[in-house]
Amino acid sequence: MMGMEARLQATFDQAQHIVFLTGAGVSTPSGIPDYRSKNGLYTGHRNAEYYLSHSCLVQEPEVFYDYVKQNLYYPDAKPNVIHEKQAALTRQNRATVITQNIDNLYNVADTQHLVEFHGNLYNVYCQICGAKADWHDYLKSPYHDADGGWLRPDVVLYDEGLNTTNVQRAVAAMSQADLVVIVGTSMRVYPFAGLLDYRNQQAQVVVVNQEKLNLGFTYDMVQADATEFFDALRV
Ligand SMILES: [Zn+2]
C-alpha cells in the first residue's frame, strides 16, 4: 500500500466511537496461526471444531487438554502494530475492540475498551470449585491441586453459550459506533458476525482485508495487508 489515503485517515480522525471487529488475521502477524486452518495433527474426521467443543471437554478431557495445549497457547507472542494502533485509539476513549481472539494480545497491548467475545485462554479455572488457576500451572497439569478437578480455560467452546455481559457490551458499542472497522476476519462465524445487525445505521463500515466480504450492505473496502494499513494510520 502506498501510504494512507487522506480520505481514510480523515474518516478515522473524525470518528468519535470506533468499533473494531477483529479475528484471527490480527494475530497471525504475531506468529499465532489460525487454528481453523491448522490440520494434520490428528487424523480422521475430527476437526478443530470438535476439539474445541464442550462435548470433547466432557467426554475426552485428555484429548481436549492435549489439543488446546499444543495448538492454542503462544505465551511468547507479542502484539503487533494492528493491536497497538487500535489499543492507542481505545486509550483516547475513541474506540472499542470486540475480538474473537482468545490469545490475550490486546491486553498485553494495554487495550482499554475491550470485549473478548470468545473469552481468554490465559484465564483458567477449576470446573469443580470454580477457583481461578494460573495458566502456567494449567500447561503443566490439567488438574487442580486442591481438589483434583479438571481445569479449563475461560473460553467459549463450540457448543457453549456466550457470556451475556460480553454480548451486552458488544451490542451497546455497536449501537453507539459512528465507524465500524472489520479487520482480520471474514465475518462468517456466528453469532459474532451477527453483531453487524446491531450497528448504528449511521455508522460507516470499513473492511481491511485481503479479500472482499459478503456483508449484504455497502462498505468501504481496503484491500490491503492489515499490518501495512495500521502502520500507515496516524492515531
Ligand atoms: Zn478446584
Side-chain angles (χ1 to χ4, degrees), residues 126 128-131 144 146-147 149:
C126 171
I128 299 277
C129 69
H144 187 207
D147 55 15

Side-chain angles (χ1 to χ4, degrees), residues 83-103:
H83 300 100
E84 282 162 1
K85 290 282 176 82
Q86 293 177 2
L89 286 164
T90 68
R91 293 194 299 271
Q92 297 168 15
N93 292 319
R94 290 207 294 130
T96 299
V97 174
I98 307 173
T99 189
Q100 299 167 86
N101 297 345
I102 55 178
D103 55 34

Side-chain angles (χ1 to χ4, degrees), residues 12 18-26 82 86 96-100 106 174 179-188 192-197 199 204-226 229-230:
F12 277 82
I18 306 168
V19 170
F20 292 105
L21 294 173
T22 75
V26 167
I82 311 171
Q86 293 177 2
T96 299
V97 174
I98 307 173
T99 189
Q100 299 167 86
Y106 277 111
M174 289 299 291
L179 174 60
V180 175
V181 186
I182 297 168
V183 189
T185 172
S186 57
M187 297 303 285
R188 282 195 291 257
F192 185 84
L195 287 173
L196 283 172
D197 297 339
R199 75 189 187 281
Q204 184 176 347
V205 178
V206 174
V207 173
V208 182
N209 203 30
Q210 300 280 18
E211 295 165 30
K212 291 182 180 168
L213 305 186
N214 184 14
L215 299 182
F217 55 83
T218 54
Y219 60 89
D220 251 311
M221 182 70 210
V222 182
Q223 209 152 0
D225 180 301
F229 178 84
F230 281 93

Side-chain angles (χ1 to χ4, degrees), residues 70-183:
Q70 289 176 34
N71 291 280
L72 300 189
Y73 282 89
Y74 290 84
D76 297 329
K78 300 279 187 292
N80 60 60
V81 68
I82 311 171
H83 300 100
E84 282 162 1
K85 290 282 176 82
Q86 293 177 2
L89 286 164
T90 68
R91 293 194 299 271
Q92 297 168 15
N93 292 319
R94 290 207 294 130
T96 299
V97 174
I98 307 173
T99 189
Q100 299 167 86
N101 297 345
I102 55 178
D103 55 34
N104 199 42
L105 290 185
Y106 277 111
N107 288 302
V108 178
D110 195 19
T111 306
Q112 293 299 302
H113 305 284
L114 174 63
V115 181
E116 291 174 307
F117 205 69
H118 294 158
N120 184 320
L121 280 171
Y122 296 85
N123 298 332
V124 173
Y125 66 94
C126 171
Q127 295 184 77
I128 299 277
C129 69
K132 288 186 178 172
D134 191 309
W135 62 268
H136 298 90
D137 294 336
Y138 180 57
L139 293 184
K140 287 176 206 147
S141 160
Y143 304 107
H144 187 207
D145 279 346
D147 55 15
W150 281 90
L151 301 172
R152 63 163 286 180
D154 192 4
V155 297
V156 180
L157 301 176
Y158 273 95
D159 42 8
E160 287 183 325
L162 293 161
N163 174 307
T164 52
T165 304
N166 281 344
V167 174
Q168 286 163 2
R169 290 180 60 217
V171 167
M174 289 299 291
S175 68
Q176 288 162 11
D178 54 3
L179 174 60
V180 175
V181 186
I182 297 168
V183 189

Side-chain angles (χ1 to χ4, degrees), residues 23-104:
V26 167
S27 289
T28 44
S30 291
I32 299 179
D34 182 356
Y35 59 80
R36 277 165 302 206
S37 66
K38 273 186 103 178
N39 293 307
L41 243 162
Y42 295 87
T43 53
H45 64 280
R46 292 170 155 190
N47 54 24
E49 281 76 9
Y50 172 73
Y51 294 112
L52 297 176
S53 69
H54 186 75
S55 313
C56 181
L57 175 71
V58 169
Q59 289 161 20
E60 302 184 274
E62 302 89 351
V63 172
F64 175 86
Y65 177 66
D66 286 345
Y67 181 85
V68 165
K69 185 175 161 177
Q70 289 176 34
N71 291 280
L72 300 189
Y73 282 89
Y74 290 84
D76 297 329
K78 300 279 187 292
N80 60 60
V81 68
I82 311 171
H83 300 100
E84 282 162 1
K85 290 282 176 82
Q86 293 177 2
L89 286 164
T90 68
R91 293 194 299 271
Q92 297 168 15
N93 292 319
R94 290 207 294 130
T96 299
V97 174
I98 307 173
T99 189
Q100 299 167 86
N101 297 345
I102 55 178
D103 55 34
N104 199 42

